Amino acid sequence: MVKSTQDDSALKSEQTAMNAITIDCVIFGFDKGSLEVLLVQHGEGISKGKWGLPGGWIYKKESTDNAAHRLLNELTGLDNIYLEQLKAFGDPDRFPLRRVITIGYYALVKREDYNIKAGFTASDAKWYRINTIPDLIYDHNEILSYSLKHLQNRVRQAPLGFNLLPEKFTLLQLMHLYEEILGVEMDKSNFRRKILHMKLLVALDEKQQDVSHRAAKLYRFDPAIYNKLTQKGFNFEF
């Protein structure tokens, strides 16, 4: 049986819709004791004026990884970021105009290492505290929620949290970071005992400077020590 021209057109339209792929990136930062997420305000299109995760359309001959790095750089100025792929989000109604599947990525960055600058189709880009996130476009609140749960699981299994801290930090800063990520309140003495018992930190002959309270001792995380301990069977579990 020969298909009609109308059937062919419908099939092509369906295939076009099915092939629509975008990228969305969840970028976590940590500043002044608060976990934050980088958001962009759309400067054009159906979501103009609204806030969402940095992302956009993937080019036809572009890998998802390359697209993620390109879009993040164009929209926010971030470059040379290690991005980890989360999963695909493909609810049929997640995009109002047609079927669009998005590939989620996430990263942990030291805020002080980067200058955020909106560009491309973004009219603004800024950090939002995790507890002040506005209503985002499409299913971006869902993607962010999934990313946060993923981060919570990962920081319990590997020392990823150090990627959000400056090179030198206090134990209190480290504890506040874990409290923010996990959404729990910790006992200072128990946290200090547990983290020092892991022997992952290098104690420095330095203390905080320019603080109004008693200056605390500074530490740094040494990845080489962690790798050596892991080879000996060390299991990071927080």
Side-chain angles (χ1 to χ4, degrees):
M1 180 178 179
V2 180
K3 292 184 178 179
S4 67
T5 303
Q6 186 176 2
D7 289 340
D8 288 340
S9 298
L11 179 60
K12 289 180 180 179
S13 296
E14 183 178 352
Q15 289 174 334
T16 300
M18 290 176 63
N19 290 332
I21 301 175
T22 58
I23 299 294
D24 286 303
C25 302
V26 181
I27 310 300
F28 291 107
F30 187 70
D31 183 57
K32 298 177 182 178
S34 296
L35 182 66
E36 299 183 332
V37 175
L38 182 61
L39 299 178
V40 296
Q41 186 177 45
H42 287 218
E44 58 184 54
I46 63 172
S47 55
K48 183 178 179 179
K50 298 179 180 179
W51 290 88
L53 301 171
W57 300 99
I58 184 173
Y59 293 151
K60 185 177 181 179
K61 295 185 179 181
E62 185 178 39
S63 71
T64 56
D65 287 355
N66 288 341
H69 286 282
R70 172 183 60 81
L71 287 162
L72 191 59
N73 180 249
E74 290 176 344
L75 291 166
T76 69
L78 286 180
D79 199 8
N80 297 319
I81 301 294
Y82 174 73
L83 290 166
E84 181 177 329
Q85 190 175 122
L86 286 167
K87 72 164 191 170
F89 296 84
D91 189 292
D93 300 319
R94 62 170 302 276
F95 188 74
L97 301 183
R98 59 169 171 159
R99 178 71 183 271
V100 176
I101 296 172
T102 194
I103 309 298
Y105 282 81
Y106 92 111
L108 311 178
V109 302
K110 291 182 175 68
R111 277 199 48 180
E112 65 272 16
D113 290 347
Y114 301 95
N115 292 318
I116 303 302
K117 183 179 181 181
F120 192 36
T121 58
S123 58
D124 196 5
K126 66 180 183 179
W127 294 96
Y128 275 84
R129 291 186 177 183
I130 200 70
N131 59 355
T132 63
I133 302 298
D135 288 333
L136 305 179
I137 59 171
Y138 318 139
D139 60 347
H140 286 198
N141 286 95
E142 176 188 338
I143 296 173
L144 173 56
S145 178
Y146 180 91
S147 302
L148 180 57
K149 290 179 182 177
H150 179 80
L151 175 60
Q152 290 170 340
N153 291 331
R154 293 281 282 126
V155 297
R156 291 182 182 275
Q157 302 165 1
L160 298 182
F162 296 102
N163 293 333
L164 293 168
L165 292 170
E167 182 181 359
K168 302 173 184 179
F169 52 85
T170 68
L171 293 181
L172 187 60
Q173 286 176 315
L174 180 60
M175 187 184 79
H176 285 165
L177 171 64
Y178 274 88
E179 287 181 327
E180 278 286 296
I181 294 176
L182 299 175
V184 298
E185 187 174 340
M186 297 181 173
D187 179 80
K188 187 187 298 186
S189 297
N190 288 339
F191 178 86
R192 179 185 180 88
R193 181 169 57 252
K194 186 168 186 177
I195 198 69
L196 292 180
H197 181 71
M198 292 181 182
K199 299 181 180 179
L200 295 175
L201 304 183
V202 176
L204 305 175
D205 292 327
E206 301 178 48
K207 290 187 176 182
Q208 288 176 299
Q209 296 182 356
D210 301 323
V211 292
S212 57
H213 53 79
R214 182 181 177 184
K217 188 177 183 63
L218 294 173
Y219 295 80
R220 69 177 175 84
F221 172 71
D222 190 335
I225 294 177
Y226 173 67
N227 290 334
K228 289 181 180 179
L229 289 174
T230 302
Q231 292 172 3
K232 295 179 180 179
F234 171 79
N235 182 31
F236 183 93
E237 184 176 351
F238 202 85

